[in-house]
Amino acid sequence: ACLKHYAANNQEAFRMRLDTIVDERTLREIYLTGFEIAVKESSPWTVMCAYNLVNGEHADTSKRLLTDILRDEWGFDGLVMSDWFAVSDRIAGIAAGLDLEMPGSSGSWDARIGAALDDGTLSEADLDTAVRNVVEMVLRAKAGREAHTTPMDHDAHHALAREAAAAGTVLLANDGTLPLAAPASVALIGSFAEAPRYQGAGSSQVNPTRLTTVREALAARLPQSQISYAPAYDPKTGETTEALIAEAVAAAQGADVAIVMVGLPSAYESEGFDRPHMNLPGGHDAVVAAVAATGTPVVATLSNGSPVALPWAGDVAAILEGYLGGQAGGEALVDVLVGDAEPGGRLAESFPVAASDLPSHANFASHPTLLEYREGPFVGYRFHDTFDVAPAYAFGHGLSYTSFELGEAFVAGEGTALTVSVPVANTGARSGSTVVQVYVADLESSVMRPAQELKGYRKVALGAGESTVLEIELDDRSFAVYDVADAAWKVEAGAYEIRVGTSSREITSTVAVDIASTDVVTPALKTAAPLADDDEYRALLGRELPSPAPIEPFRYDSVLADLDTTEAGRVVKQRLTSGMSGALDSSNATEEMQRMMEAMMKEFPLRAMVYSSEGQMTFDDLDAILDQLNS
């Protein structure tokens, strides 16, 4: 019963014991920066801590992360909650700054919290702080509801979702076939056209107020066109057959254009498990290749939540990355296909040619409990640009239905408070938008830095023939590195380049600047390779390399799969999981849900058995089980 309850709410148990090993500079400059921006610029009401450990410390018990950095450095004044069943130690969590345990554990910790208060292990002041933050959040939410009494306008929200989906669509490639100019005949190929992959799986699933499909929207938008449809593959598995491919080929032959909808079925990407490769389903690739061989211009549309390999990219006329477009994604995709809306998105990630190109490929998921970030800051475009490994599609890339020209940038200001001005002209025959991007390169650094880093950008929409001058502001952080020795952001004096373009690989102008600074940056290790070896990683971490925790003795963080190592453990596991068989055998469970539950069964922590049992199991019970297993 406890496992079934857990499966209905969350499937990320595997992360609860994963120890993320990352050096301090990389943590600060890469992985904490996004959260810092969100906290400082948006003042969110809540922050959720991670499941995993960071450098040997559970995130929910890290005072450094939850209080020292989040509250004291960044000024966060809201509520910190746990992810579902992610609490490793409620007492240590309260002391660290974890206010709310979610979704609650039926009082499992109450007795131990009381004892900790009595013996001084937990201070009343820390408990009062957590309680105060919870109460203030309740009052804040109540006031917010009372202040916003306007009824939900589902039509307006759907229209906004449609606009947003089109604005986020990225045109990866186009030979001029798009936008479609009232074709007499269209072959619409791929079952995603009527069974769309429009949202994530697992906890990201929501119930749409309505759901539109490309097949419906295309027929409504092109009533004068002859539209032939072929499903081509199974929408759940992506598998195809010779008969389905033959049907797709027949639909494409003689058509003015073939729209082939491919991507990742939900069973390919979800929480609870990692993708083992970057490939589309083999059936999807086979369909695109077969249709492209007919000679009919092919527009391939992608529905996926992350980068994919596109072996047929050179054989199609256009590629439109729609990502997961939401409930109005079908209408939005048609809006972009026919030119009612422009593809307004730009890649926020690099698409590598192959996963094996990336430095992290060498040590990704090499151990179930330990993940070393040996690539340091060289992730995404920082890797591609620094080591000159060409991506399939670069960070920031995205084509338009018109053409833009960026003039020579010029820089004004003093010190690091600089304004980058960029002339932009729409030189095409229709209105459109582009995203001007500013990268900063440190030419004389005392520490290892990427070749360039994005430090500002602005999107501009211009009518045909219009022009403007964009201004993008830079500041101290645009030039700074995190000095680990002094625990401070510092700007090193010297020569820098301000590089302006439309992607990290499409730089149109460069301005040299000389930055004056009195900061002294502590020299640090420089390597010639994108992946640190043992000695280099030891130096970056400033300590010995960690070792994976042994399976035995069994403890609160042990997972169900660990119990398979002993006969007694297997017996206990069978008893603990007997209530899960019904959930796993459920006939209405989706394939991705089945995969998540199977992953959960292997990596479910023993401590979480108590949380999710709804009071049927206590920590005293777990202690007795562990004593028995370890005797």
Side-chain angles (χ1 to χ4, degrees), residues 235-318:
K236 293 184 177 180
T237 65
E239 296 176 358
T240 190
T241 64
E242 290 185 7
L244 287 172
I245 292 178
E247 183 184 1
V249 168
Q253 288 173 330
D256 291 335
V257 65
I259 301 170
V260 184
M261 300 189 64
V262 294
L264 296 176
S266 56
Y268 269 63
E269 55 179 1
S270 174
E271 61 179 337
F273 55 86
D274 293 313
R275 290 170 60 195
H277 53 70
M278 280 183 53
N279 301 331
L280 295 172
H284 286 211
D285 285 336
V287 168
V288 176
V291 173
T294 66
T296 298
V298 172
V299 175
T301 71
L302 300 173
S303 300
N304 49 292
S306 49
V308 290
L310 305 173
W312 37 258
D315 301 324
V316 299

Side-chain angles (χ1 to χ4, degrees), residues 163-212:
E163 179 183 347
T169 300
V170 183
L171 183 60
L172 295 180
N174 187 24
D175 67 357
T177 297
L178 293 181
L180 301 177
S185 59
V186 178
L188 179 60
I189 296 169
S191 59
F192 280 177
E194 59 178 0
R197 171 83 200 287
Y198 65 97
Q199 66 172 331
S203 297
S204 62
Q205 288 181 323
V206 297
N207 295 323
T209 58
R210 70 190 72 166
L211 181 62
T212 62

Side-chain angles (χ1 to χ4, degrees), residues 615-626:
Q616 298 179 47
M617 182 177 178
T618 68
F619 280 113
D620 289 342
D621 295 331
L622 180 56
D623 287 339
I625 291 172
L626 291 174

Side-chain angles (χ1 to χ4, degrees), residues 201-517:
S203 297
S204 62
Q205 288 181 323
V206 297
N207 295 323
T209 58
R210 70 190 72 166
L211 181 62
T212 62
T213 69
V214 168
R215 189 177 184 185
E216 295 167 338
L218 192 66
R221 179 60 180 80
L222 300 176
Q224 305 304 316
S225 299
Q226 179 183 349
I227 301 175
S228 56
Y229 169 68
Y233 53 79
D234 185 299
K236 293 184 177 180
T237 65
E239 296 176 358
T240 190
T241 64
E242 290 185 7
L244 287 172
I245 292 178
E247 183 184 1
V249 168
Q253 288 173 330
D256 291 335
V257 65
I259 301 170
V260 184
M261 300 189 64
V262 294
L264 296 176
S266 56
Y268 269 63
E269 55 179 1
S270 174
E271 61 179 337
F273 55 86
D274 293 313
R275 290 170 60 195
H277 53 70
M278 280 183 53
N279 301 331
L280 295 172
H284 286 211
D285 285 336
V287 168
V288 176
V291 173
T294 66
T296 298
V298 172
V299 175
T301 71
L302 300 173
S303 300
N304 49 292
S306 49
V308 290
L310 305 173
W312 37 258
D315 301 324
V316 299
I319 304 174
L320 203 55
E321 173 59 90
Y323 286 108
L324 304 180
Q327 69 174 47
E331 293 163 305
L333 192 59
V334 171
D335 289 342
V336 174
L337 288 169
V338 302
D340 291 344
E342 64 159 350
R346 300 297 183 267
L347 288 182
E349 57 199 352
S350 301
F351 272 44
V353 175
S356 57
D357 288 345
L358 306 177
S360 58
H361 180 74
N363 69 328
F364 174 73
S366 56
H367 194 277
T369 64
L370 203 61
L371 183 59
E372 297 178 331
Y373 282 52
R374 291 187 178 226
E375 67 277 7
F378 299 116
V379 291
Y381 75 91
R382 293 174 174 86
F383 160 72
H384 288 287
D385 296 348
T386 302
F387 295 95
D388 198 25
V389 177
Y393 299 100
F395 175 81
H397 171 71
L399 303 177
S400 173
Y401 287 157
T402 186
S403 57
F404 288 89
E405 183 176 296
L406 274 57
E408 288 295 320
F410 55 97
V411 177
E414 295 183 359
T416 57
L418 302 179
T419 299
V420 182
S421 299
V422 187
V424 186
N426 181 344
T427 58
R430 57 182 289 158
S431 61
S433 67
T434 190
V435 179
V436 177
Q437 302 160 37
V438 175
Y439 296 82
V440 172
D442 185 350
L443 304 181
E444 302 175 351
S445 178
S446 297
V447 298
M448 182 174 57
R449 300 190 72 171
Q452 60 183 16
E453 295 183 274
L454 181 74
K455 296 300 180 180
Y457 62 92
R458 280 192 66 184
K459 185 174 186 177
V460 59
L462 296 172
E466 285 188 340
S467 62
T468 189
V469 176
L470 285 185
E471 292 186 347
I472 299 172
E473 306 294 333
L474 300 180
D475 58 18
D476 196 69
R477 282 288 290 272
S478 303
F479 301 89
V481 295
Y482 190 79
D483 189 315
V484 176
D486 289 343
W489 291 95
K490 294 183 179 180
V491 175
E492 190 168 27
Y496 292 78
E497 283 185 352
I498 310 299
R499 301 172 181 174
V500 176
T502 53
S503 82
S504 76
R505 309 286 282 192
E506 297 166 282
I507 301 300
T508 59
S509 66
T510 300
V511 180
V513 297
D514 193 73
I515 301 297
S517 173

Side-chain angles (χ1 to χ4, degrees), residues 10 45 82-83 102-103 122 141 154 233 251 266 270 291 305 330 335 409 428 464 467 535 550 574 614 621:
N10 196 279
W45 289 9
S82 76
D83 211 327
M102 290 298 291
L122 176 65
H154 291 297
Y233 53 79
S266 56
S270 174
V291 173
D335 289 342
S467 62
D535 289 338
Q574 204 286 325
E614 298 180 338
D621 295 331

